[in-house]
Amino acid sequence: MNGSVDEESGLPDEAELARTDIEMSFRVRPLGNVVGDLSGILGAHATELVGAFYPRRVSNKVNVVLTELVNNVLQNFVDRESDIQVTLRLDAERLVLRVSNAATPAQYDKVRGIVERIQATPDPRTLLRDTIRERRKSRLRGGLGLLRLVVENKFQLGVSYDQSVLTVESRIALGGLA
Amino acid sequence: MKVIAFGDVMDGGTSVFTSVAKIDGHKLLLTFSGIIRIDNPYTHLQPYVDELNTLLPGLGVGETNIDFTKLKFCNSNGFYVIMDITEAVYRHTLGEVVVHRLAEDDWQQETLPILIDVDDAGVAERTRFVDCAEL
């Protein structure tokens, strides 16, 4: 759906802005040098960029998905010299974020298991609730981010592993949001 | 209105998250503002949680207002501390708990009810959500 220019201001209206194509990617290496809040920096940057064109509900989703997927990498990487690669694609139809990093086969199996468990459950909200309750008993870190992306933000998740690089993809159709 | 407890998260010398508990007669007002995105919020907020659990039982609170509308972001590492704070409220107060939240914030609409545990019948009975527009 194309928007138009506001007659009074001469500027693109909201519908016109929300069909803007955005693609951004970044790579940080070595991960061992990351000592600050990398997910916060990236999330704030991407949120500001996306928020210049899309409604807050969309830019909020960008912030959440970037934060959770980048934090997953930062909390679990095994090779200090390896990198993290992030690609964000956004247009009027969909938002896709891919985060890749070097991982062991065991790490891939673990992430794939989580994703498959989420995809298999008929009631993701109950799974999130029960997982939060269970992990809270031991105040276990992590383990909630991917579930949160599905239950709270309605993302579809995919996971792949190629040449020791694990990629997690989050995708959502923007119908009705933008 | 009297401030009874205060918790915040500092980052780089600046306060990035604040929660304040105030009491007005038998009414408790609890506010959350800023962002929670640090790895372990307990390093900053455990004293606040402890203070709430110590002070609230003696205050005779019969009505509570919790305001999340100025909480801009909460990563999943912040879930448990939100649960601890709200659990202290429900455990040590009586009466209705009115929860103000943003109508267009996915976290506040989808995940917050889980953290407050509205699936518990006793909690659900006491809880009323008020959806607000962001200013």
Side-chain angles (χ1 to χ4, degrees):
Chain A
M1 180 182 70
N2 288 2
S4 59
V5 173
D6 181 82
E7 286 184 12
E8 196 172 316
S9 67
L11 299 172
D13 62 16
E14 288 183 2
E16 173 61 19
L17 287 174
R19 68 181 195 91
T20 308
D21 290 350
I22 298 174
E23 180 168 342
M24 60 187 293
S25 62
F26 32 80
R27 172 176 172 268
V28 176
R29 178 185 173 276
L31 279 172
N33 283 358
V34 177
V35 291
D37 181 12
L38 180 65
S39 69
I41 294 167
L42 298 179
H45 177 66
T47 301
E48 193 166 344
L49 173 65
V50 171
F53 302 97
Y54 286 84
R56 182 175 168 81
R57 199 153 197 174
V58 175
S59 60
N60 276 350
K61 285 187 184 296
V62 170
N63 195 11
V64 171
V65 69
L66 252 173
T67 297
E68 297 296 351
L69 294 187
V70 171
N71 274 346
N72 276 355
V73 172
L74 297 179
Q75 290 171 1
N76 296 294
F77 71 85
V78 290
D79 179 359
R80 292 179 55 82
E81 288 299 313
S82 66
D83 64 4
I84 180 172
Q85 296 185 54
V86 179
T87 304
L88 170 76
R89 291 196 183 92
L90 174 62
D91 58 35
E93 304 297 323
R94 68 191 64 81
L95 161 64
V96 181
L97 184 85
R98 294 166 61 91
V99 176
S100 303
N101 72 299
T104 65
Q107 286 179 312
Y108 165 62
D109 286 342
K110 184 178 177 187
V111 174
R112 187 185 61 181
I114 293 170
V115 170
E116 287 178 352
R117 187 169 171 229
I118 295 170
Q119 290 170 339
T121 183
D123 185 356
R125 183 189 181 278
T126 298
L127 180 61
L128 176 62
R129 183 198 67 193
D130 294 347
T131 305
I132 289 173
R133 286 178 178 173
E134 190 58 37
R135 296 182 73 80
R136 183 188 180 207
K137 290 175 190 166
S138 309
R139 288 194 180 174
L140 292 173
R141 290 171 63 210
L144 300 173
L146 295 177
L147 251 175
R148 174 196 198 178
L149 295 180
V150 172
V151 176
E152 176 186 300
N153 293 277
K154 316 306 179 196
F155 280 101
Q156 292 181 305
L157 298 178
V159 58
S160 60
Y161 192 60
D162 182 36
Q163 297 181 359
S164 298
V165 173
L166 169 66
T167 298
V168 177
E169 179 180 287
S170 284
R171 171 185 294 265
I172 185 173
L174 291 182
L177 286 178
Chain B
M1 194 171 293
K2 178 185 172 189
V3 174
I4 59 163
F6 174 91
D8 71 347
V9 175
M10 301 287 288
D11 184 21
T14 304
S15 178
V16 294
F17 167 81
T18 305
S19 180
V20 182
K22 301 175 186 172
I23 194 85
D24 184 6
H26 293 292
K27 184 172 184 177
L28 173 69
L29 176 63
L30 195 66
T31 59
F32 295 86
S33 58
I35 57 173
I36 300 180
R37 64 178 316 135
I38 61 169
D39 208 22
N40 182 4
Y42 284 104
T43 56
H44 299 260
L45 297 173
Q46 186 63 56
Y48 176 56
V49 174
D50 293 342
E51 218 173 348
L52 289 175
N53 278 303
T54 301
L55 295 173
L56 287 178
L59 295 175
V61 172
E63 185 183 355
T64 299
N65 194 328
I66 306 180
D67 187 354
F68 285 96
T69 61
K70 293 185 178 63
L71 183 59
K72 303 296 183 192
F73 185 81
C74 182
N75 70 0
S76 53
N77 291 333
F79 287 1
Y80 305 146
V81 81
I82 295 289
M83 295 172 85
D84 286 356
I85 292 169
T86 55
E87 189 174 86
V89 170
Y90 280 90
R91 181 176 292 164
H92 301 305
T93 69
L94 298 172
E96 186 181 44
V97 179
V98 180
V99 178
H100 292 261
R101 62 180 180 174
L102 293 173
E104 296 213 337
D105 184 300
D106 293 326
W107 178 80
Q108 297 192 15
Q109 291 293 316
E110 303 288 341
T111 303
L112 180 60
I114 295 174
L115 304 186
I116 291 176
D117 199 12
V118 295
D119 291 344
D120 178 279
V123 171
E125 194 178 330
R126 293 178 59 191
T127 305
R128 179 163 60 92
F129 286 104
V130 176
D131 290 337
C132 307
E134 189 170 13
L135 294 177

